[in-house]
Amino acid sequence: MSVKDMLLALCVVMAWGVNFVVIKVGLHDMPPFLLAGLRFALVAFPAIFFIKPPKIPLRWLLVYGMTISFGQFAFLFLAIKLGMPAGIASLVIQAQAFFTIVLGALLLSEKLKWNHITGILLASVGMLVLADAGMANQSSGGGITAITLLLTLAAALSWALGNITNKLIMRNSEVPVMSLVVWSALIPVVPFLACAWLYDGSQTIIFSLVNINITTIMSLIYLAFIATIVGYAIWGNLLKRYETWRVAPLALLVPVVGILSAALLLGETLSLMQMVGAAIILAGLLLNVFGGMLTPSRIVRQHQP
C-alpha cells in the first residue's frame, strides 16, 4: 500500500473513531431516533440525484437498510443516550466481527477456524468483565449497565446481519459501494422518525427541530458526510484496489481512536477493571484477525531450514 493510501486509510480510521464522540455530542440536545433519522436523510439527499440506484431487488435493499442502518444505529444511539461511554461503545460494537463469523457459519456454511472460536470466547470473557465492572461502577456514573451493554451488542448484531446481507447481494451482482450506501440510507428515515414520535412524542421532535443549535448541526454534517459518505467512499476504493487483508485489519484501530478521543474530548475515564475488560476484548479481536497466521502448519514451515 502506498504512503498516500495508508494516510487515507488512517484518516478514515480517525474519522470513524471520533464518530462515537460526535454521536455523544449530537445527542446532548436531540433525541436519539430523530438524530439518526436526520443523519440518514442527509446521507441520501442530495446524493441520490447524482448516484444511480443499485441494480438489486428492492427486498435486499430493504433488508440491508433495516439491518446495517436502522437496527445498528437505533440501538447504538439509544445506548449512548442512556449513558454508554462513547469510547467503550466504539470497542463493544466491534463484536460485529464475531457475530458476522457465527452468522456466516450458520447461514452461509462458512467454516469456523480455531482462532475465530477462541477469539469469540476471549471477547465474551472481556464483555463479562466489562459488564461486571460497569455494575460495580454505577454509583460513580460509569454509564456501562446491563441495558446499555446489551443495546450496544444488539447494534453489533444488526451490523453483522447487514454484513451477511451485503455478502448475499454481492454474490449475485457487482454493486458500487456508494450506490448501496446512499440508496439504502432512504430505508431507515421513516422508521427512525416513527420511533422518534413513539419514543419521544411530537412535541419533543418539534422543540428539537425549532431549537436546533450549531453543535447539533455540525454533528449531523460530520455523521452524514464525513463518517458516512467520505469514509465509505475512501474505504470502498481502498478495498477495491488492495487485498482485503491489507485494509480490513486497520479497522481495529477504530476503537483505539474512539477510546482515546473520548478521553481527550469528553473526559471519559475507565476504572481498572473496565480497562482490563476492554483489553481482553481487543485481544479477542486481534486473535480473530491475525490468529490464522499462527496455525501449526505455518509455524512448522517458517522454522524449516
Side-chain angles (χ1 to χ4, degrees):
M1 185 181 294
S2 69
V3 174
K4 176 186 174 183
D5 288 338
M6 178 62 74
L7 290 174
L8 283 172
L10 291 176
C11 284
V12 175
V13 167
M14 290 286 291
W16 286 348
V18 175
N19 182 54
F20 292 86
V21 171
V22 176
I23 291 171
K24 191 86 168 180
V25 171
L27 289 171
H28 282 168
D29 299 301
M30 184 167 280
F33 300 123
L34 180 59
L35 184 72
L38 292 176
R39 175 226 178 125
F40 283 100
L42 286 175
V43 171
F45 297 100
I48 59 168
F49 298 115
F50 304 98
I51 297 176
K52 293 181 180 180
K55 295 180 180 179
I56 57 173
L58 179 59
R59 66 180 183 275
W60 286 118
L61 191 65
L62 287 170
V63 173
Y64 185 79
M66 290 300 293
T67 52
I68 208 162
S69 298
F70 177 74
Q72 179 185 178
F73 291 101
F75 290 123
L76 177 63
F77 278 37
L78 185 57
I80 293 177
K81 184 69 174 181
L82 293 176
M84 186 68 168
I88 291 298
S90 72
L91 176 62
V92 172
I93 201 169
Q94 298 305 320
Q96 60 84 18
F98 304 119
F99 286 133
T100 300
I101 289 168
V102 172
L103 289 171
L106 293 174
L107 302 177
L108 305 177
S109 301
E110 294 180 351
K111 291 183 179 180
L112 284 174
K113 297 181 180 179
W114 73 270
N115 56 300
H116 297 151
I117 297 170
T118 309
I120 290 170
L121 293 174
L122 191 59
S124 298
V125 171
M127 297 289 180
L128 291 174
V129 172
L130 201 60
D132 186 63
M135 299 302 172
N137 202 42
Q138 276 189 50
S139 59
S140 62
I144 304 173
T145 65
I147 291 175
T148 57
L149 186 60
L150 288 173
L151 284 170
T152 310
L153 287 172
L157 177 59
S158 298
W159 185 354
L161 287 167
N163 289 339
I164 297 299
T165 305
N166 184 67
K167 282 190 174 186
L168 292 172
I169 289 172
M170 295 302 178
R171 270 186 179 181
N172 300 319
S173 58
E174 188 67 28
V175 180
V177 173
M178 289 313 301
S179 176
L180 188 60
V181 168
V182 167
W183 282 88
S184 67
L186 285 171
I187 307 302
V189 174
V190 172
F192 272 129
L193 295 179
C195 286
W197 180 71
L198 291 171
Y199 187 80
D200 299 297
S202 57
Q203 290 185 338
T204 300
I205 294 173
I206 293 171
F207 180 84
S208 298
L209 292 174
V210 170
N211 295 282
I212 191 169
N213 56 44
I214 188 63
T215 301
T216 307
I217 292 172
M218 294 304 293
S219 297
L220 282 167
I221 291 173
Y222 185 97
L223 294 172
F225 296 108
I226 304 225
T228 305
I229 293 179
V230 174
Y232 279 105
I234 294 173
W235 199 257
N237 183 261
L238 291 174
L239 284 172
K240 188 177 293 184
R241 293 191 293 113
Y242 293 100
E243 301 91 339
T244 304
W245 63 266
R246 289 184 186 275
V247 180
L250 293 173
L252 286 173
L253 294 174
V254 170
V256 176
V257 174
I259 291 172
L260 290 176
S261 61
L264 292 172
L265 301 175
L266 300 177
E268 289 185 359
T269 57
L270 302 178
S271 69
L272 177 61
M273 288 309 295
Q274 286 173 345
M275 286 191 285
V276 170
I280 295 173
I281 294 170
L282 189 56
L285 286 167
L286 289 169
L287 183 61
N288 174 64
V289 174
F290 298 109
M293 300 178 183
L294 303 175
T295 56
S297 59
R298 181 169 294 186
I299 293 173
V300 168
R301 286 197 300 270
Q302 288 175 348
H303 287 279
Q304 284 179 346

